[in-house]
Amino acid sequence: MTDLLERSIHLINNFVSQWTKKYLYYTSYIEETTSGHTFMTVFSLPTPSNPIPVATVKVYFYIPDLTDPSEKTMSFRFENDSLIHLVNRTIRISQMEKWIETILARKDRTCRIMFLGTEFEQTRIINKRMDEVLYEKQPEQEKENLVIQQELLEHDQELVNQFTITEEEKIREIKMLTELLYQCFRQIDKDDMGVISYEEGGQLFLLMGLHLGKHQLEDTLNRLDVSRTGILQFKDISSFGIEILHSIYCQNQALKELREKEEESRFEAQWMLSTDLRNVYKKIVEQCKLKDEDEIHSVNSNVFQQILEEQQFFTEDEIKQIMEIIGQKDVEYQTSDKVLEETIFENLVKGLLEAQRSKMEVFLLEHFKRQDKDNTGLIKINELMIALKNCEKIKLSKVQLYSLQSYIKRNDKDLVNYKQEARKIGAIIKKFFNVDLMEQRSRLPQHTKIDAYIPLITPEQIQEQIKKVGS
C-alpha cells in the first residue's frame, strides 16, 4: 500500500472514530471512480456468543485527490442510500451510530424473511443497492428454440438491421435497459430491503406494462424463485425483467416503422385525392343546386344520397359510411366536402395499406381466421395467443408471447379484431428476430456494470421512460 493510500485511510479512520465507541470498523481501498478514489469502511459488532457478526454496515468514502486528502473535500454515503453526504454538512456526528443501528436492524429483518440456513449466510446479506447485486454475473437466460420461417419474409435480408449501430451504442442501450429495470425494482421494494414478495412481483410486471393472467403469473414467479424462498431478489428477476423491457424496445421500434409507413400512405392518398375529388365535388354541388328550388342551401338526405350514386365515383360502402355520418337530416351541400373528403381519404389510406400487406401479415390473418368460426373478424385473446403459441412457422419465447399479449388491443369482452391487429403483431414479431436486436438480447443477462446508486425516480417518470424505449 502506498503512502498516499495510507494517509487517506488514516484520515477516514480518524473521522469515523468520532461516530461510535460501540462498533468495530475497518477501512480499505476499493477503486478509482468518477467521484474520486473510493474507500470502504465496514462496521460490525461481534460478541462472545457471535464472533462472526450477524451483519455488517458498509460506508463508502470518496476522496477526489489522494495527494491532498482532507475532510473538506471528502464525501461519503451509506450502502443503502444513493445520497452523497458532505462531512459536517448533512448528518450530525451524534446521529451516525443511530444510522448504523437502523441499517443493521433492517438487515436482520431481511435475514428473518429470507430464512437463510446458517448464521454464516446471514452475515453475507447484501442490501439491494450494493455493487455486488448488480455486478454479479446473472443466471443463464432460459434457452428457447426461437424460429421464424423464411417464407414469411419479403426477402433474405429483411431481418438485417438497415442502420449501423456501433458497439458503444449497443452497450449503452443494454445499460439503459438494466438501469430502467433496477428503477422499477426499487419502486416496488418500498421497505428498501433488497427483496420483493410474489405479490410485489406481480406489481413489478404491471409497472413495466406486462399484464399476466393468474396462472401465467404463478408460473413465472415459480420459475424465477429458484431458491424456493417465496421472495425474489433483483438478480432473480433480472434476465426475465430485462427481456420484458427488450420486448418493449422491439415493439416501439416496430410501431415507429408502421407509423412512418402510414404517413407515407397518407401523403400518397392526399396526392391521389386532391384533383379527382375536387372535380367530383363541383358536380355534386351543381346537382344539389338544381334540386334546391327554394335556395335554402340544403337538400333532403335521400336526394343527396341519390346524387352521390349518380356520380359513380363512390363505392356502395363509402356512400353508406357517408350517409351514416350525415344521418336523416337535410344536407348543407356547400359544406359537405369535409365529410366526403375524410371518408374517401381514410378508405384510400386503408386500401393503400392493404395493398402493402406483408407475407407475415397475410399469414397471420389466415392463421387467426381459423379460430373465427362465425367469420365475425373477432376472436378471444386467449384463442389468439394459443394460435400463436402453437404456430409451427413462428416459435416465440414465453416473454415474447406474454409481451405480445399485453400489447394487443381487445374490447371489454376480451375480443380482438385480429384483422386490425395482425399488421402490428407481424411487425413486432419481425423485430424479435432482427439480427441486431437478437444479438443485444443474447447479451442482456450478461454482466453489465452500471451505476448502482442512480437517483430514484417516480413511477410516472418510469412509465414515460418505458414508452420511449427504442422509439
Side-chain angles (χ1 to χ4, degrees):
M1 185 180 296
T2 67
D3 291 340
L4 293 178
L5 291 178
E6 287 182 352
R7 285 174 57 195
S8 300
I9 290 174
H10 182 69
L11 173 70
I12 294 170
N13 285 336
N14 282 342
F15 178 57
V16 299
S17 66
Q18 306 169 55
W19 291 11
T20 178
K21 301 297 181 184
K22 178 179 179 180
Y23 293 94
L24 299 180
Y25 55 86
Y26 173 79
T27 303
S28 59
Y29 178 69
I30 304 298
E31 62 182 352
E32 184 177 2
T33 66
T34 55
S35 302
H37 294 269
T38 306
F39 297 79
M40 180 178 68
T41 301
V42 181
F43 292 87
S44 63
L45 186 61
T47 63
S49 58
N50 288 296
I52 298 177
V54 173
T56 60
V57 174
K58 297 176 182 178
V59 181
Y60 293 89
F61 287 88
Y62 305 100
I63 298 178
D65 185 7
L66 291 184
T67 60
D68 184 26
S70 68
E71 286 192 4
K72 290 182 180 180
T73 59
M74 186 168 64
S75 58
F76 65 95
R77 62 166 180 78
F78 287 88
E79 65 178 65
N80 68 328
D81 199 347
S82 58
L83 180 63
I84 302 294
H85 301 278
L86 300 177
V87 174
N88 298 324
R89 289 284 298 276
T90 51
I91 305 179
R92 295 180 182 178
I93 296 295
S94 59
Q95 294 177 319
M96 294 302 186
E97 194 166 276
K98 291 182 180 179
W99 274 62
I100 295 171
E101 288 177 347
T102 300
I103 296 171
L104 285 175
R106 186 178 295 156
K107 285 192 172 186
D108 182 60
R109 182 183 172 197
T110 305
C111 293
R112 295 175 188 277
I113 290 177
M114 293 183 72
F115 296 107
L116 295 180
T118 67
E119 286 189 2
F120 177 76
E121 288 174 317
Q122 289 181 342
T123 67
R124 299 297 176 253
I125 294 297
I126 300 171
N127 190 276
K128 74 180 181 66
R129 279 197 277 273
M130 294 298 291
D131 292 344
E132 289 84 348
V133 175
L134 287 172
Y135 296 169
E136 181 179 351
K137 187 177 175 73
Q138 303 300 343
E140 281 289 326
Q141 196 167 10
E142 182 179 350
K143 301 297 182 184
E144 297 183 79
N145 185 27
L146 307 183
V147 174
I148 181 171
Q149 290 194 2
Q150 196 69 26
E151 64 185 81
L152 300 181
L153 305 178
E154 307 305 309
H155 51 81
D156 291 342
Q157 296 296 309
E158 185 179 7
L159 300 182
V160 177
N161 198 333
Q162 58 181 321
F163 303 106
T164 302
I165 300 178
T166 65
E167 187 68 16
E168 184 180 349
E169 288 172 327
K170 291 177 185 177
I171 294 173
R172 185 163 59 245
E173 287 172 353
I174 292 172
K175 178 181 176 182
M176 177 269 295
L177 291 174
T178 309
E179 288 184 349
L180 186 52
L181 175 64
Y182 186 49
Q183 286 282 11
C184 293
F185 186 89
R186 291 177 66 184
Q187 280 293 336
I188 301 302
D189 181 22
K190 299 296 184 184
D191 294 330
D192 196 29
M193 296 171 62
V195 293
I196 58 176
S197 64
Y198 274 21
E199 181 182 355
E200 290 172 328
Q203 296 171 14
L204 174 66
F205 299 146
L206 282 176
L207 178 63
M208 296 162 64
L210 187 70
H211 300 266
L212 299 176
K214 180 180 178 182
H215 297 300
Q216 291 174 339
L217 180 60
E218 288 177 353
D219 173 62
T220 299
L221 293 172
N222 285 329
R223 284 194 300 117
L224 296 178
D225 184 17
V226 179
S227 58
R228 297 292 181 266
T229 59
I231 58 174
L232 300 168
Q233 298 181 65
F234 180 80
K235 64 182 177 123
D236 296 328
I237 58 94
S238 60
S239 293
F240 184 85
I242 294 173
E243 191 175 350
I244 293 172
L245 294 178
H246 193 253
S247 70
I248 295 173
Y249 184 99
C250 293
Q251 178 213 11
N252 290 344
Q253 289 261 304
L255 297 185
K256 179 183 177 183
E257 290 185 8
L258 290 181
R259 285 194 298 269
E260 290 172 353
K261 289 181 181 178
E262 186 170 335
E263 285 301 315
E264 291 175 5
S265 297
R266 287 184 171 276
F267 180 80
E268 185 178 351
Q270 193 68 50
W271 178 79
M272 294 169 62
L273 194 63
S274 56
T275 304
D276 292 343
L277 185 61
R278 192 180 300 116
N279 293 332
V280 170
Y281 181 64
K282 285 180 181 179
K283 294 179 182 179
I284 292 172
V285 172
E286 289 172 1
Q287 292 296 317
C288 287
K289 283 181 178 179
L290 293 176
K291 302 289 185 180
D292 181 17
E293 297 177 356
D294 298 330
E295 296 184 359
I296 58 177
H297 306 294
S298 65
V299 294
N300 181 274
S301 59
N302 292 331
V303 173
F304 189 75
Q305 179 174 344
Q306 183 181 352
I307 292 173
L308 293 181
E309 292 169 351
E310 291 172 354
Q311 301 306 309
Q312 297 183 345
F313 179 81
F314 307 97
T315 66
E316 289 184 12
D317 287 339
E318 287 171 343
I319 292 173
K320 183 179 179 181
Q321 284 179 286
I322 292 168
M323 298 314 299
E324 283 178 354
I325 295 172
I326 291 173
Q328 298 300 315
K329 60 185 179 181
D330 289 347
V331 182
E332 295 180 1
Y333 53 85
Q334 289 183 326
T335 59
S336 62
D337 58 328
K338 187 175 181 181
V339 174
L340 298 177
E341 183 175 354
E342 287 181 355
T343 304
I344 305 305
F345 177 71
E346 291 302 328
N347 284 337
L348 191 53
V349 171
K350 183 179 178 182
L352 288 170
L353 291 174
E354 286 181 356
Q356 298 171 10
R357 279 179 178 167
S358 65
K359 293 180 181 178
M360 172 71 82
E361 183 179 353
V362 172
F363 168 76
L364 289 174
L365 283 170
E366 290 299 317
H367 189 64
F368 295 147
K369 191 176 181 179
R370 295 171 195 154
Q371 311 297 319
D372 184 13
K373 306 300 182 185
D374 300 325
N375 198 27
T376 61
L378 301 171
I379 57 176
K380 285 276 189 182
I381 181 66
N382 62 330
E383 293 175 346
L384 185 144
M385 295 312 301
I386 290 172
L388 273 178
K389 183 180 179 181
N390 296 333
C391 181
E392 292 298 325
K393 294 185 178 182
I394 308 168
K395 290 294 183 184
L396 303 175
S397 70
K398 275 194 174 183
V399 175
Q400 291 169 344
L401 285 168
Y402 290 163
S403 299
L404 276 173
Q405 177 182 294
S406 296
Y407 308 149
I408 295 171
K409 289 183 180 178
R410 75 290 303 263
N411 62 21
D412 54 1
K413 294 182 180 179
D414 269 346
L415 291 171
V416 178
N417 185 332
Y418 62 89
K419 294 181 179 180
Q420 291 180 358
E421 293 298 291
R423 183 166 175 257
K424 179 174 74 174
I425 295 170
I428 295 173
I429 288 174
K430 284 185 181 181
K431 281 299 174 186
F432 287 152
F433 290 90
N434 178 282
V435 173
D436 191 74
L437 296 183
M438 285 187 75
E439 181 187 344
Q440 283 181 260
R441 177 185 180 274
S442 67
R443 296 170 58 180
L444 288 175
Q446 296 180 10
H447 167 77
T448 305
K449 189 170 183 178
I450 66 170
D451 182 3
Y453 312 104
I454 49 179
L456 186 66
I457 61 177
T458 66
E460 292 74 23
Q461 289 172 318
I462 287 176
Q463 296 283 4
E464 193 61 33
Q465 285 192 19
I466 288 176
K467 289 179 184 176
K468 294 179 180 177
V469 166
S471 61

